[in-house]
Amino acid sequence: MDTNALMMPVECDVRVFEEIERLVSATDLLVPEAVLDELAKLADGRGKEATAASVGLDLARDRCESVAHDEDYADDALVEVAEREDVTHAVTNDGPLKRRLLDAGVPVLSLRAENKLTVTQP
């Protein structure tokens, strides 16, 4: 899961974990450490983005397994983890990251309608 996926519950009113379960029945959700770091930095701010990041950070800590990696940048870390851990799906709403994941052969769950996710196959 990437940063914006974990912020979807506040920013897009998406029940992201219910949507993941509906689409792929995933039980083991991974989040790169760089994503947790990015959420923590964003949560230190003010406004809706900070609130969304704070909620996302809490959700990630409660519902996901943190994964170490070599990359510093969150998007690069997500691609590294997806390839290394042989994940079945990634969750992001970031267009360029989605393309990178699809090019790496990783199916992507992303926002389809106002509060539903869909799966895009590589």
Side-chain angles (χ1 to χ4, degrees):
M1 296 190 73
D2 83 335
T3 302
N4 68 40
L6 288 159
M7 294 171 64
M8 281 183 196
V10 172
E11 291 186 331
C12 305
D13 194 31
V14 174
R15 298 178 144 210
V16 69
F17 294 99
E18 289 178 17
E19 283 294 293
I20 293 168
E21 178 65 27
R22 179 181 68 82
L23 292 169
V24 296
S25 301
T27 55
D28 296 326
L29 301 173
L30 306 177
V31 62
E33 290 176 349
V35 168
L36 296 175
D37 294 342
E38 187 173 45
L39 286 168
K41 288 176 188 169
L42 291 170
D44 281 341
R46 297 199 188 285
K48 187 174 181 178
E49 181 179 72
T51 301
S54 179
V55 169
L57 186 58
D58 288 343
L59 289 170
R61 288 178 175 156
D62 288 345
R63 312 257 330 241
C64 302
E65 177 186 341
S66 174
V67 179
H69 48 78
D70 295 326
E71 298 291 342
D72 293 327
Y73 181 59
D75 288 2
D76 296 338
L78 189 70
V79 173
E80 175 193 325
V81 168
E83 292 176 331
R84 184 188 71 216
E85 300 292 330
D86 196 30
V87 299
T88 59
H89 294 83
V91 186
T92 185
N93 210 40
D94 178 305
L97 177 57
K98 180 178 176 179
R99 174 61 25 219
R100 286 179 65 194
L101 289 160
L102 291 170
D103 288 345
V106 179
V108 177
L109 280 66
S110 59
L111 201 57
R112 171 182 50 130
E114 60 186 57
N115 60 359
K116 297 289 182 194
L117 297 181
T118 190
V119 178
T120 304
Q121 297 293 336

